């Protein structure tokens, strides 16, 4: 299959067949993009056009020719000047317009794999507009990705602010990139579109890679300049001229809040202390795991009632001392979390997962001790009394877990953590258990490419339900899988409700908490398949649960002092696309 670089000039992409209207070094085929392309139909698997299609006289004709030579599922990557800038508007050689709406006229498919806010318009809610002139559709190029490249003055702004400026000003963007899939299945090919999306490997042009690096360097330069501006603003005297202060304020006003938080973070970091404490906690966890293994071996080797009673008493005494040590450790963590860096957070998340596993093992062991106690006969009453005296029969690890959870919640809501989530690497996404691979793959397609990060929810018992507004539609939903983390084994149920756009509950499903584990996804099977349009909501609730229960979530960091957008870390199983 061919890989074509249309309008390559002297800088043909490596491994491509170069096409240009002029014969020059690197051009393999001389052809005019305003005429029929000299390639067979369905012969190209990848077509790349960088700063060339804006020069064609009839863009619709050229796009139809490109679609003709592409095979089913082939990729089209276009980089073009963003139209709404003065230089492009004045350029007489730019004959075609490229902005966030241009690819809408190459398909009738109602949705694109990007945030609808990127192309929002009051006169066109759905994505595809190919049939807006009432003509028969001849092509179907479906958008998978759209990226804008901004002038340096706008790099520092949030996504929402960039969108606002792009819609209301000129000279905000200078380039736009589209990645599209050619949808032209042959007769008998019944693979769904979702299958092509799952196999899609985005082509990354060297031009785009170099531009991202340059923007990063500019961003760092902007931060350094902004720090200097902020210092000047603080030193500005009341007697200085109004015009100078106004100019400085306009340069620095969009950055002051972020700068203050950045400075706070730089001067409050205690990563060395954090690492030392984490190493100590890891050593404690290792000792705890070894102790549990020892308990298991001893319980299996017990041959008489007296030996079992002595072993149980020693184990409970050790567990009591260990629990007290961990309470002290958790108190230290609470003080540390307010100042620890992103690396500490990632390691603490890993520690918390290990503690969850150990708590489950302790619970399992206590169950086994109870079973052994039932065989003690006359010694049972005496044994239970000694357990109560050891202060472990009632409180066990629930108080410790509740204490840890309250500290983690305070940390997650802290100002320092919001700053880290905005700038730090998503370590939790990388470190999550392999058992959640299907949830990661589904969430990657549906949400994560839009800037979402993996996080942990508050305790879902704190409200009647936790609701997620879902931005995608499903044809016939049959089941939902979620990543649920019960911090302590407990009775009760966890349930879901599907709520339509009109706020009507259309389906419900529950699972006993005793059947839920943090080590694998929890599946909620619906009584029958349900069809839902974009704008529906998923509610998750807990009933009769005594200990904290949390969820993995996908969080899109919002500008400081604004609420983030949240989606569930989930898989939506549909009957029509083979996910059942």
């Amino acid at each position: 299959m061919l890989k074509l670089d249309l309008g390559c000039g002297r800088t043909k992409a490596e491994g491509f067949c170069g096409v240009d209207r002029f014969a020059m070094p690197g051009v393999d085929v001389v052809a005019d993009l305003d005429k029929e392309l000299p390639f067979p139909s369905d012969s190209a698997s990848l077509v790349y056009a960088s700063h060339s299609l804006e020069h064609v006289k009839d863009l619709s004709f050229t796009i139809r020719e490109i679609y003709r030579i592409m095979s089913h599922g082939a990729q089209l990557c276009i980089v073009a000047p963003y139209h709404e800038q003065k230089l492009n508007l004045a350029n007489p050689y730019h004959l075609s317009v490229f902005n966030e709406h241009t690819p809408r006229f190459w398909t009738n498919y109602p949705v694109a794999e990007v945030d609808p806010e990127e192309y929002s318009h009051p006169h066109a809610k759905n994505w595809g507009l190919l049939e807006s002139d009432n003509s028969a559709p001849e092509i179907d190029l479906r958008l998978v990705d759209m990226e804008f490249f901004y002038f340096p003055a706008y790099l520092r702004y949030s996504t929402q602010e960039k969108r606002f400026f792009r819609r209301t000003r000129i000279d905000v963007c200078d380039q736009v990139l589209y990645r599209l899939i050619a949808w032209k299945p042959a007769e008998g090919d019944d693979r769904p579109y979702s299958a092509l999306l799952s196999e899609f490997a985005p082509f990354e042009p060297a031009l785009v890679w170099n531009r991202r690096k340059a923007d990063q360097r500019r961003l760092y330069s902007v931060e350094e300049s902004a720090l200097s501006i902020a210092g000047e603003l603080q030193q500005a005297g009341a007697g200085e001229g109004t015009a100078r202060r106004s100019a400085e304020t306009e340069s620095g006003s969009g950055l002051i809040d972020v700068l203050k938080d950045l400075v706070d973070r730089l001067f409050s970091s205690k990563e060395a202390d954090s690492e030392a404490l984490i190493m100590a906690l890891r050593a404690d966890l290792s000792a705890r795991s070894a102790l549990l293994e020892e308990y298991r071996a001893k319980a299996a080797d017990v041959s008489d009632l007296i030996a079992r009673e002595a072993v149980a008493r020693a184990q409970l005494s050790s567990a009591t001392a260990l629990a007290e040590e961990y309470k002290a450790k958790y108190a230290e963590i609470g003080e540390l979390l307010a100042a620890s860096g992103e690396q500490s957070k990632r390691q603490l998340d890993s520690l918390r997962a290990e503690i969850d596993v150990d708590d489950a093992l302790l619970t399992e062991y206590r169950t086994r001790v109870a079973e052994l106690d039932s065989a003690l006969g006359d010694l049972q009453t005496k044994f239970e009394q000694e357990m109560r005296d050891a202060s472990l029969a009632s409180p066990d690890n629930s108080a410790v877990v509740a204490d840890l959870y309250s500290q983690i919640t305070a940390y997650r809501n802290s100002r320092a953590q919001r700053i880290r989530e905005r700038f730090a690497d998503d370590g939790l996404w990388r470190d999550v258990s392999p058992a959640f691979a299907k949830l990661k793959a589904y969430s990657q397609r549906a949400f994560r490419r839009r800037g979402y990060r993996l996080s942990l929810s508050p305790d879902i018992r704190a409200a009647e339900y936790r609701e997620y507004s879902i931005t995608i539609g499903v044809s016939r939903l049959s089941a939902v899988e979620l990543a649920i983390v019960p911090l302590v084994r407990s009775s009760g149920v966890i349930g879901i409700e599907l709520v339509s756009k009109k706020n009507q509950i259309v389906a419900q499903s529950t699972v006993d908490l005793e059947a839920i584990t943090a080590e694998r996804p929890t599946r909620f099977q619906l009584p029958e398949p349900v069809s839902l349009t974009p704008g529906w909501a998923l509610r998750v609730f807990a009933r009769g649960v005594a200990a904290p229960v949390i969820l993995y979530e996908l969080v899109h960091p919002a500008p400081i002092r604004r609420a983030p957008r949240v989606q569930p870390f989930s898989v939506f199983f549909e009957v029509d696309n083979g996910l059942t």
Side-chain angles (χ1 to χ4, degrees):
M1 299 291 282
L2 291 171
K3 295 199 300 184
L4 302 176
D5 185 345
L6 301 182
C8 65
R10 301 177 186 273
T11 57
K12 178 182 68 172
E14 184 177 355
F16 282 67
C17 174
V19 181
D20 203 286
R21 61 176 176 165
F22 298 118
M24 62 184 78
V27 174
D28 301 300
V29 176
V30 176
D32 191 342
L33 299 185
D34 286 322
K35 300 177 181 179
E36 291 186 2
L37 298 175
F39 302 102
S41 299
D42 305 315
S43 61
S45 61
L46 175 57
V47 178
Y48 171 48
S50 175
H51 290 268
S52 57
L53 296 185
E54 68 271 16
H55 300 289
V56 302
K57 298 175 183 178
D58 185 348
L59 181 61
S60 295
F61 169 81
T62 303
I63 290 295
R64 286 197 298 271
E65 271 298 286
I66 292 173
Y67 178 77
R68 176 185 65 79
I69 67 174
M70 294 175 70
S71 62
H72 177 51
Q75 178 179 173
L76 171 59
C77 179
I78 298 174
V79 181
Y82 190 74
H83 182 68
E84 283 76 14
Q85 57 160 305
K86 290 181 180 179
L87 185 63
N88 287 342
L89 293 172
N91 192 336
Y93 305 114
H94 287 187
L95 307 180
S96 298
V97 173
F98 288 89
N99 59 24
E100 55 267 41
H101 300 292
T102 304
R104 303 178 73 174
F105 297 91
W106 303 341
T107 184
N108 277 328
Y109 198 60
V111 297
E113 298 299 314
V114 298
D115 191 333
E117 288 298 319
E118 294 288 5
Y119 58 87
S120 174
H121 194 283
H123 299 160
K125 301 296 183 183
N126 291 336
W127 169 256
L129 299 175
L130 179 60
E131 290 185 350
S132 57
D133 67 342
N134 298 317
S135 62
E138 299 178 348
I139 62 175
D140 192 353
L141 289 168
R142 301 185 179 184
L143 186 71
V144 178
D145 190 17
M146 179 164 57
E147 183 175 356
F148 303 92
F149 297 90
Y150 292 85
F151 284 106
Y154 294 93
L155 290 176
R156 192 64 224 175
Y157 288 97
S158 68
T159 300
Q160 292 88 342
E161 290 167 332
K162 288 177 181 176
R163 289 172 184 158
F164 173 77
F165 291 138
R166 202 173 70 235
R167 294 169 184 165
T168 57
R169 300 181 183 181
I170 60 174
D171 285 341
V172 175
C173 258
D174 67 326
Q175 293 185 82
V176 60
L177 174 142
Y178 317 108
R179 293 188 181 94
L180 308 103
I181 287 180
W183 179 256
K184 47 194 308 189
E187 185 176 353
D189 186 353
D190 57 356
R191 287 192 307 162
Y193 179 52
S194 58
L196 291 184
L197 283 177
S198 65
E199 300 168 359
F200 185 79
F203 169 63
E204 185 80 352
L207 169 71
V208 172
W209 188 88
N210 291 331
R211 175 57 184 269
R212 289 200 187 99
K213 290 296 181 184
D215 285 348
Q216 289 178 1
R217 289 193 295 270
R218 292 190 187 103
L219 191 59
Y220 296 146
S221 176
V222 168
E223 286 186 358
E224 293 174 359
S225 300
L227 284 170
S228 175
I229 292 170
E232 293 178 10
L233 286 172
Q234 291 176 353
Q235 298 173 8
E240 292 184 27
T242 303
R244 178 184 174 187
R245 289 200 304 275
S246 174
E248 289 177 342
T249 302
E250 181 175 329
S251 300
S253 61
L255 302 171
I256 295 301
D257 289 341
V258 174
L259 290 171
K260 290 179 179 178
D261 290 333
L262 284 172
V263 171
D264 289 343
R265 182 177 62 152
L266 289 172
F267 287 97
S268 64
S269 175
K270 295 182 180 177
E271 291 184 358
D273 295 339
S274 159
E275 291 175 0
L277 180 56
I278 288 168
M279 289 177 64
L281 284 173
R282 286 195 178 277
D284 287 342
L285 284 171
S286 177
R288 184 176 183 173
S289 298
L291 185 61
L292 287 170
E293 291 298 328
E294 180 183 353
Y295 288 169
R296 262 197 222 98
K298 288 182 178 179
D301 295 336
V302 170
S303 59
D304 58 80
L305 299 180
I306 297 176
R308 277 184 251 180
E309 181 185 9
V311 170
R313 186 183 297 111
Q315 291 168 349
L316 291 173
S317 177
S318 299
T320 302
L322 191 61
E324 291 300 323
E325 291 177 11
Y326 269 85
K327 287 180 182 178
K329 291 294 185 182
Y330 295 152
E332 294 177 22
I333 292 175
E335 297 174 358
L336 178 64
L337 287 178
S340 62
E342 180 273 336
Q343 180 180 2
S344 301
K345 175 184 176 298
R346 185 165 61 245
Q347 292 174 326
L348 287 171
D349 287 339
S350 177
L351 283 175
R352 183 172 55 185
E354 294 178 32
I355 290 171
D356 290 344
V357 173
D358 287 345
D359 285 337
L361 292 174
L362 282 175
T363 302
E364 179 183 352
Y365 180 71
R366 285 196 174 88
T367 302
R368 183 172 297 175
V369 169
E371 294 173 354
L372 292 174
D373 286 344
S374 65
L376 291 177
D378 294 339
L379 296 176
Q380 180 176 2
T381 303
K382 177 183 176 181
F383 185 68
E384 290 178 350
Q385 183 61 44
E386 292 179 356
M387 287 177 65
R388 285 192 293 273
D389 293 342
S391 301
L392 284 176
S394 175
D396 58 39
N397 280 340
S398 299
V400 177
V401 172
D403 184 28
L404 172 61
Y405 179 76
S406 65
Q407 294 183 50
I408 290 174
T409 300
Y411 166 67
R412 291 177 68 253
N413 295 329
S414 68
R415 182 165 168 245
Q417 174 60 6
R418 292 198 302 272
I419 293 296
R420 291 189 188 94
E421 288 182 348
R422 185 179 181 87
F423 293 98
D425 176 35
D426 192 351
L428 185 56
W429 177 268
R430 182 179 61 253
D431 296 337
V432 72
S433 169
F436 298 103
K438 184 183 292 184
L439 275 69
K440 287 183 69 173
Y442 188 90
S443 299
Q444 181 78 30
R445 290 198 309 272
F447 305 114
R448 186 168 163 79
R449 70 166 57 89
R450 305 172 189 170
Y452 284 87
R453 302 162 52 82
L454 191 61
S455 184
L456 295 169
S457 76
D459 184 1
I460 62 175
R461 305 174 305 151
E464 182 178 355
Y465 51 78
R466 186 156 181 81
E467 181 169 302
Y468 305 92
S469 180
I470 308 302
T471 58
I472 60 176
V474 292
S475 55
R476 296 182 67 210
L477 185 64
S478 62
V480 176
E481 278 192 1
L482 300 173
I484 300 176
V485 183
L487 297 190
V488 174
R489 183 172 295 177
S490 175
S491 60
V493 298
I494 304 298
I496 64 167
E497 292 177 343
L498 306 182
V499 183
S500 70
K501 191 174 183 179
K502 297 181 179 179
N503 205 30
Q504 296 176 335
I505 298 176
V506 297
Q508 187 180 76
S509 178
T510 60
V511 175
D512 289 339
L513 184 58
E514 293 181 349
I516 295 176
T517 174
E519 299 174 355
R520 62 175 181 272
T522 301
R523 186 183 182 102
F524 294 88
Q525 189 70 41
L526 302 182
E528 59 183 21
V530 177
S531 297
L532 296 161
T533 57
W536 62 281
L538 172 68
R539 293 175 178 173
V540 185
F541 59 86
R543 298 291 184 267
V545 177
V549 178
I550 57 179
L551 307 172
Y552 281 96
E553 297 178 329
L554 291 164
V555 179
H556 192 294
I560 298 173
R561 300 188 183 92
R562 295 188 190 175
R565 295 197 303 273
V566 181
Q567 294 289 341
F569 185 49
S570 60
V571 175
F572 299 140
F573 289 87
E574 299 180 66
V575 175
D576 295 343
N577 66 6
L579 289 175
T580 57

